[in-house]
Amino acid sequence: MCLFINTSHYRKQIYLTMVRSLLDHASPVWAPQYSSKVGAFERVQKNAVKWIADDRYSHWPDTYYYSMLKSFNILPINLYFRLNDLKFMYKILNKLVPVDLPPHLIIVSTARITHGTVHIAESEDRTTLCSSISPYASNILHHSYFYRIVKFWNLVPFKVRQADSFEIFVTEIKQHLWTVRPWLD
């Protein structure tokens, strides 16, 4: 990869433009859900981050790798896919795309939810996304977008979900995702 580029800023831009941008195209539909598949993407990114840092031949422990991601402001791959999922759900709920929620998903007030039905992120949360498909059911939808987004959406703080604009939502959700410990996912 472009050995003549001698600054990390330009190497980062090349990576984001030529490699990472390919992951944006319809990722809510095709994003891998198994850790082994996500790990393959993460290995590519780790090599790219080493290239950006001009440290291609060193061994990096995971904690150092994540600190380098943070210093370059590049989300880990699993959180990047989650970010794309959440951005798409924000667009759906705010009618920014011509996609409706499927009939098995509804937005409800948390005052109506019985204990144990859904994951609720915080006590001041006023609404949550619910699915009529049991999380314990074994079915083909288990890794589909509209199945997995319920958990992810409900873990986002209410204040972030209620952002006034898409740009504000993206900024706040990125800040929130940096608080998640990606190596524990």
Side-chain angles (χ1 to χ4, degrees), residues 18-33:
M18 298 184 76
V19 179
R20 189 83 176 253
S21 64
L22 297 174
L23 301 180
D24 278 336
H25 183 70
S27 68
V29 175
W30 66 263
Q33 299 306 306

Side-chain angles (χ1 to χ4, degrees), residues 126-141:
R126 293 173 198 72
T127 62
T128 194
L129 188 61
C130 291
S131 173
S132 62
I133 299 174
S134 169
Y136 306 107
S138 173
N139 66 48
I140 197 162
L141 297 175

Side-chain angles (χ1 to χ4, degrees), residues 20 35 38-39 41-43 45-46 49-50 60-80 177-178 180-185:
R20 189 83 176 253
S35 60
V38 174
F41 284 101
E42 197 70 58
R43 284 188 293 280
Q45 179 164 282
K46 188 173 190 175
V49 171
K50 286 180 171 185
W60 287 6
D62 286 345
T63 53
Y64 184 71
Y65 167 60
Y66 288 114
S67 70
M68 292 303 289
L69 286 174
K70 183 120 175 131
S71 73
F72 289 126
N73 197 26
I74 298 174
L75 280 171
I77 290 292
N78 62 335
L79 296 182
Y80 184 70
L177 289 175
W178 275 116
V180 176
R181 296 178 58 116
W183 54 88
L184 295 178
D185 278 353

